[in-house]
Amino acid sequence: MKRGNAFDPNCPTRLVLDRIGDKWSVLVVLALLDGPQRFTTLRNMINGVTPKVLTQTLRAMAGDGLLTRRVFAEVPPRVEYELTPLGRTLRTPIQAITDWAEENVNEVMAAREAALKE
């Protein structure tokens, strides 16, 4: 299969970048790195995400083959989300970006504050 070209506006690579570059998708990947999680656990881990946005994000990621949704036949029903093998390949790049952000947050915030004063 031909490799994509992110600089081509008609290339579907941009759709993939939109998905994996979305902050909620990044946080879902980070939350699922240690294994399957239930919706409520994910919502609590990803503080600030609304249930609606989390649901939309999980559905989109499942549709892109990045995670699976498993429903258990229990009362009440239990649903777990887990990264697929493809989704697990995001560990290294997302962890690297997260580490960079955590290490440089103070410098970035100082630059933003300085820019606002100009």
Side-chain angles (χ1 to χ4, degrees):
M1 179 170 225
K2 182 181 169 190
R3 183 182 171 134
N5 176 1
F7 291 103
D8 178 352
N10 298 314
C11 182
T13 298
R14 290 190 179 193
L15 299 173
V16 176
L17 288 173
D18 284 344
R19 173 69 51 234
I20 64 172
D22 172 70
K23 73 176 173 181
W24 301 120
S25 296
V26 168
L27 294 172
V28 166
V29 169
L30 290 171
L32 293 176
L33 285 176
D34 291 329
Q37 300 291 342
R38 294 178 73 174
F39 182 89
T40 303
T41 304
L42 287 170
R43 189 184 70 220
N44 291 338
M45 290 174 76
I46 306 171
N47 196 6
V49 66
T50 65
K52 178 183 176 183
V53 169
L54 182 56
T55 298
Q56 291 171 339
T57 300
L58 292 168
R59 284 183 183 153
M61 291 179 71
D64 288 344
L66 300 175
L67 59 83
T68 58
R69 179 181 187 267
R70 185 172 172 201
V71 181
F72 294 86
E74 300 175 357
V75 177
R78 179 169 53 109
V79 179
E80 286 185 348
Y81 298 89
E82 183 174 15
L83 291 173
T84 62
L86 177 62
R88 284 193 293 275
T89 66
L90 290 168
R91 173 188 286 273
T92 299
I94 285 182
Q95 192 63 63
I97 290 169
T98 301
D99 290 346
W100 183 92
E102 289 174 346
E103 290 169 13
N104 293 285
V105 64
N106 292 332
E107 189 172 342
V108 171
M109 297 309 291
R112 280 188 183 186
E113 190 174 313
L116 289 174
K117 291 179 181 177
E118 292 178 357

